[in-house]
Amino acid sequence: MKLKINYFAAGLAIFAMAIQNLFADNGTTTIAKWKDNKKGAFTLRFDDSMMSHKDHTVPNLVKRGLAGSFFLNPATNRYGYGIDVWESLAGRAGLEVCPHTMNHTGAADLAEADYEISQAFNYIWTLNPPDKSKLYPFDRGGATTWPDGYMEAVQSKYPFVNYRSEAVSYNGADSKTDLINFAKKAMNDDAWHIILTHGTGPNLEWLGFEVSNFEALLDFLVTVKDGLWISTAGDTYKYIMERKSATVGIIEENQNLLRLELKSDTDPLLFDYPLTLISEVPASWNYCHVRQGDLQHIYPVNSGRVMYEAVPGRGEIVLRSSVMDTSVPGKVTVNDGSAVDIDESPFVHQVSANWSAADDGESGIARYWYRIGTTPGGSEVVDWIDNGLERTVTTTRTKFSLVRGEKYFVTVKVVNGAGLESESVSDGFIVNTIPGHISFLENFDAGYLSQWNEKFARTGSTSNLLYTSVKAARDGKYGLQVHLAANNRNTPRIIKQEVAEAKDIFTRLYFKLDKDFKMPAEGSLQILELKDAGGEFVAGVYLGYREGIGFHVYALYLDDTGYRASLPGIS
């Protein structure tokens, strides 16, 4: 009898909830605890730009459709090894990249701390859409020493948060069962759980889980990702902080539309992640068109409720009855260059493009993406990069090494609020065969050219050699100009001392030639030299010139036999 009474009580409770929903006022809105009203959140965090991240971690996440957070050290050779992943693939695969200092070596004083943190942030900012918040999870790295007060000194300039205070971190064993149970507990407790590891896979570097245990965890997450939010550290932290103080107010309500206001105490310039809202709407609605500012989307309505996304502090939210958008957004006109369409560019390290506004009267424009290739619509240079709602881009990603005389095309993909896409391609541009100018531009060695000692960079200097200077890297001076006097055999080379091996150096070097520049009689100039502790040659970069072809760049390094061998050149 007792069992029957419990069933009866449960039935009454369900009936009461149904009656309550039936008579709920239109516009009544709840804020889901987690994205898409899931139970709990789970974050996979990976530190130190490991080579195994490129070889094992990222491929295993991508093929399973899982998100993850990667804390990067952009000045390390490990970052260079995975540069295509960090600067292209990560963004379109939903993987988060976070600053983890430039070198993971700590800092001796506040100036060095500022450099290590600020440059890491600058790198990460360039890898994300231009309209994305500059607030990121940050960690200084384990086993490093920092000066007192460094956090307070730099936090106001480079916004970062102690996100781990909101999460439960894994402290269990390297065990398949324990790892999976930790994910299950996130759902059971309706909480945020984080697992931190470093290398992964059969060739993991250090501080990682045994490969079968790690992959078993990933396989389990695939089975529960419809109910557990597999999230990144930054997105989850933003969601939590926005939700804590969020409120929804009704501005207007009738059978045709609802106008709502979503507020939160968080700064809308930093906290830009959308919250999941669930609103009561008229029972006659089958689909709901949701607009907030420039953002629009169409969502299905189920039993008089619509679940959708909105960002606190981004203006009022307007909900209307709608039908599903089945038409692709209009195409755009893509111009090569930053303004009017160009046919030629002087830059081998930079691509600019702009495009007209796309038109979609039903669900609006949600996103623009671009990619660059040597064929119309191709991605031979770089694959899809998220550009937010911005309609112009100038990108200098590290991997760019355009070939003079080659033609390049920019493709723009437009995505509307129903997820439908259209693509448009520029008519292409050619990189000038013979450039008309030269000067050194930022960055080198993942820093700025303020890293070079100014006294060797002045016009008319008795020396054209530019040496590294640790102190100058903190001075905030930008740019160099080097002049060669007539018949001057000195070369304007930059020298980096005490290099152990060429493979240990992450080098990013830009330069351009003055319009009156003439090559010395020798026919080549050394523009970069790496030396070991004894002052001996390790590697170098050279500028050459050939009649009918123009200027070209080539590199030499000291091979295992002691001879200077060449790397592939860039004409």
Side-chain angles (χ1 to χ4, degrees), residues 303-518:
S303 302
R305 286 181 173 180
V306 59
M307 184 167 69
Y308 58 98
E309 294 186 334
V311 182
R314 293 292 181 89
E316 72 174 31
I317 307 163
V318 180
L319 287 70
R320 296 178 183 272
S321 178
S322 176
V323 295
M324 179 50 68
D325 185 354
T326 58
S327 60
V328 300
K331 290 182 176 290
V332 300
T333 300
V334 184
N335 296 317
D336 299 300
S338 58
V340 297
D341 188 62
I342 62 172
D343 296 322
E344 294 187 355
S345 168
F347 303 115
V348 295
H349 66 277
Q350 173 180 299
V351 174
S352 296
N354 66 94
W355 50 91
S356 59
D359 178 60
D360 192 297
E362 295 168 300
S363 61
I365 305 303
R367 225 74 186 149
Y368 293 106
W369 296 69
Y370 69 88
R371 67 181 176 189
I372 304 165
T374 55
T375 58
S379 58
E380 292 84 0
V381 177
V382 67
D383 210 341
W384 292 120
I385 301 294
D386 185 354
N387 209 52
L389 288 173
E390 296 292 323
R391 293 188 289 110
T392 182
V393 62
T394 295
T395 182
T396 56
R397 290 174 183 253
T398 305
K399 68 169 288 180
F400 279 6
S401 296
L402 306 185
V403 178
R404 295 198 178 279
E406 182 75 78
K407 194 166 189 177
Y408 295 92
F409 301 85
V410 178
T411 303
V412 173
K413 177 169 65 177
V414 184
V415 183
N416 69 10
L420 302 175
E421 304 172 355
S422 67
E423 294 182 15
S424 305
V425 186
S426 73
D427 61 3
F429 67 94
I430 294 175
V431 181
N432 288 342
T433 303
I434 302 178
H437 40 264
I438 191 177
S439 69
F440 293 104
L441 307 176
E442 62 185 44
N443 293 323
F444 172 77
D445 202 19
Y448 286 103
L449 283 175
S450 54
Q451 190 165 343
W452 314 112
N453 192 320
E454 186 187 19
K455 72 178 182 179
F456 294 114
R458 293 188 184 125
T459 301
S461 170
T462 57
S463 173
N464 293 307
L465 304 183
L466 309 177
Y467 292 89
T468 61
S469 168
V470 174
K471 178 181 181 299
R474 323 292 182 226
D475 289 345
K477 300 181 178 66
Y478 296 84
L480 297 175
Q481 188 174 47
V482 182
H483 284 212
L484 293 180
N487 301 318
N488 190 333
R489 292 179 177 272
N490 288 335
T491 61
R493 67 181 180 273
I494 295 173
I495 298 178
K496 187 168 181 66
Q497 308 280 15
E498 300 184 1
V499 173
E501 296 182 63
K503 68 180 182 180
D504 293 333
I505 301 300
F506 173 74
T507 302
R508 184 176 186 173
L509 175 64
Y510 303 149
F511 62 89
K512 63 179 180 179
L513 297 171
D514 182 81
K515 63 181 179 180
D516 298 322
F517 180 82
K518 296 185 182 303

